Amino acid sequence: MNPEICAKLVQQSRSGDRRAMLQLLRLAHTPVTYLCRKLIGNEMAAEIMTRQILSALPRQLGALGDPAEFEKWISRIAASRCMQSRTQPDRPAAEEEEAVIPEVPAGDLDELQTAKLVEQLVDLLPDAPRVCLLLYSCAGLKLKGIAQLTGFQESTVLEHLNQAQKVVNGQLRQYHKAGVHFPPMPALSVLVRTAMYSTRNPKAAALMVRDMLPKSPAPVQKKFTITKQIRTALIAAGILLLALLVAILLLV
């Protein structure tokens, strides 16, 4: 997200601009739905959580300090809610899939293709390193923040992040030996974020958020009503006019 655009939309939303708020909800849809899918695992539960987080956003927007930090703010809310849901004993079970290393034909990959490949490799990581990497890359949390959400010691969080990087980079080196050529590689966290924003779906976002804001009340049409004082004045004026007409007729 562009921080300047987000800051402008936040300020407009706070002043009651419904269009700005809807745009803000659409922008938030990508990181929120991605984190919910990746951290919760169950598609139905992830969609429910996404709706809950986005529905609450208009009410919580006043708690945002720096409008330019909107992306980090909403991502951390999503991360916190998702991690809380993972501790609930009655939460839906994650959809388990057999871990299969993706096959990639020899050739050149661009940055987006590399990011999508990295996303698949991250999905195959053990749960703890995978979660720590997602919280670091997509929610922008540091060691202390990840430790608070996961219950791990900060040193353990660092070990999990190092493990994630070691495993993913090791698999990428295996691809390279097999003839798969990558562009100059940015940091692993950058590739994970690139993969996240490649899932952006404007139509799905618009469909989800369209009914989240309360409808504007219909304008009240003011009816013209005659007060008791006006009615009395009109009657008195009528009587006076009638008396004048009678006087004129008598004088003629």
Side-chain angles (χ1 to χ4, degrees), residues 244-252:
L244 288 173
L245 289 175
V246 171
I248 292 172
L249 291 173
L250 291 175
L251 292 173
V252 172

Side-chain angles (χ1 to χ4, degrees), residues 8-237:
K8 182 178 180 180
L9 289 173
V10 168
Q11 292 165 352
Q12 292 173 337
S13 298
R14 285 173 171 173
S15 66
D17 189 326
R18 289 173 57 85
R19 288 187 178 181
M21 179 60 77
L22 283 172
Q23 181 63 20
L24 207 56
L25 286 167
R26 294 188 192 108
L27 289 176
H29 178 269
T30 297
V32 171
T33 192
Y34 190 85
L35 281 166
C36 289
R37 282 177 39 237
K38 296 296 185 180
L39 293 176
I40 296 177
N42 180 280
E43 288 292 332
M44 183 178 295
E47 182 175 352
I48 292 172
M49 180 65 75
T50 299
R51 288 182 178 275
Q52 291 176 349
I53 294 169
L54 294 181
S55 296
L57 191 154
R59 300 190 301 274
Q60 297 178 334
L61 198 57
L64 171 60
D66 183 358
E69 294 289 312
F70 173 77
E71 180 186 8
K72 287 184 179 179
W73 176 74
I74 192 61
S75 296
R76 290 173 183 179
I77 289 175
S80 178
R81 290 289 306 276
C82 290
M83 293 305 295
Q84 288 173 11
S85 76
R86 286 167 58 92
T87 64
Q88 296 173 3
D90 58 346
R91 72 183 181 92
E95 299 170 357
E96 297 184 1
E97 296 182 1
E98 184 180 355
V100 178
I101 302 297
E103 296 183 4
V104 182
D108 297 337
L109 298 185
D110 59 25
E111 185 172 333
L112 179 57
Q113 291 170 323
T114 302
K116 296 299 290 182
L117 176 60
V118 164
E119 179 186 24
Q120 296 177 63
L121 296 177
V122 170
D123 287 343
L124 299 178
L125 289 170
D127 188 65
R130 182 181 63 84
V131 167
C132 288
L133 181 59
L134 288 168
L135 294 176
Y136 178 79
S137 303
C138 300
L141 291 168
K142 303 303 181 185
L143 295 182
K144 183 177 181 180
I146 297 173
Q148 290 174 342
L149 287 184
T150 59
F152 298 139
Q153 297 292 326
E154 289 185 35
S155 58
T156 305
V157 172
L158 183 58
E159 290 176 6
H160 286 318
L161 289 173
N162 287 335
Q163 179 187 356
Q165 177 138 348
K166 181 179 179 181
V167 171
V168 173
N169 287 344
Q171 188 57 52
L172 291 175
R173 283 194 291 271
Q174 293 298 319
Y175 284 127
H176 183 71
K177 290 179 181 179
V180 180
H181 301 141
F182 304 105
M185 297 288 282
L188 180 58
S189 59
V190 174
L191 288 170
V192 174
R193 281 180 55 80
T194 300
M196 176 178 73
Y197 276 105
S198 72
T199 65
R200 182 174 177 267
N201 189 332
K203 290 184 178 179
L207 185 63
M208 178 175 284
V209 308
R210 67 180 181 180
D211 297 323
M212 286 185 176
L213 296 183
K215 295 182 179 180
S216 299
V220 178
Q221 294 182 349
K222 295 183 179 180
K223 295 181 178 180
F224 179 75
T225 57
I226 301 176
T227 64
K228 184 177 180 180
Q229 292 84 351
I230 295 176
R231 187 183 298 108
T232 302
L234 290 174
I235 293 173

